[in-house]
């Protein structure tokens, strides 16, 4: 699976899974929200194993930047809160860091 598909899908499943727990605990939704949340989190973890790198830590570190940017999209699209300029700047910084980790020359 292509890297540019794995990370966004992983982010979607992680955020959705975490949101299911958030909805149950903070928004007082039914405990049934936990079932799809746990499936979603398992899919997230599986997707990260598909990242083409020899080091799990490197895959996770680079994913962190994608996660931050995807979380801001979730904030905007799902929660209806428009990110401010600091959110956008921070998202750009972490994506740049993720690109350096993923694509930097290795010696």
């Amino acid at each position: 699976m292509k890297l540019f598909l794995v990370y966004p899908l992983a982010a979607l499943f992680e955020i959705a899974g975490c949101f299911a727990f958030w909805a149950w605990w903070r928004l007082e939704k039914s405990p049934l929200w936990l079932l799809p949340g746990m499936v979603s989190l398992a899919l997230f973890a599986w997707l990260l194993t598909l990242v083409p790198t020899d080091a799990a830590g490197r895959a996770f570190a680079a994913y962190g930047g994608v996660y931050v940017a995807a979380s801001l999209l979730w904030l905007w699209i799902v929660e209806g809160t428009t990110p401010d300029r600091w959110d956008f700047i921070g998202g750009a910084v972490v994506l740049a860091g993720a690109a350096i980790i993923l694509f930097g020359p290795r010696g």
Side-chain angles (χ1 to χ4, degrees):
M1 195 179 284
K2 295 211 180 263
L3 182 63
F4 294 105
L5 185 59
V6 170
Y7 276 149
L9 281 175
L12 174 65
F13 283 117
E14 183 181 14
I15 294 166
C18 290
F19 186 77
F21 278 79
W22 177 276
W24 164 65
W25 187 255
R26 300 284 301 266
L27 303 178
E28 300 179 358
K29 300 291 184 185
S30 165
L32 293 176
W33 276 67
L34 298 176
L35 295 174
M38 288 186 283
V39 169
S40 185
L41 289 171
L43 288 169
F44 146 71
W46 172 73
L47 281 164
L48 282 187
T49 68
L50 302 178
V51 174
T53 184
D54 293 336
R58 186 171 290 132
F60 302 159
Y63 167 72
V66 175
Y67 176 81
V68 169
S71 296
L72 293 172
L73 285 173
W74 182 278
L75 171 73
W76 198 353
I77 295 167
V78 175
E79 297 185 54
T81 300
T82 304
D84 62 24
R85 68 181 167 160
W86 299 109
D87 294 324
F88 286 116
I89 292 168
V93 168
V94 297
L95 283 175
I100 292 167
I101 291 167
L102 277 177
F103 305 118
R106 302 277 180 247

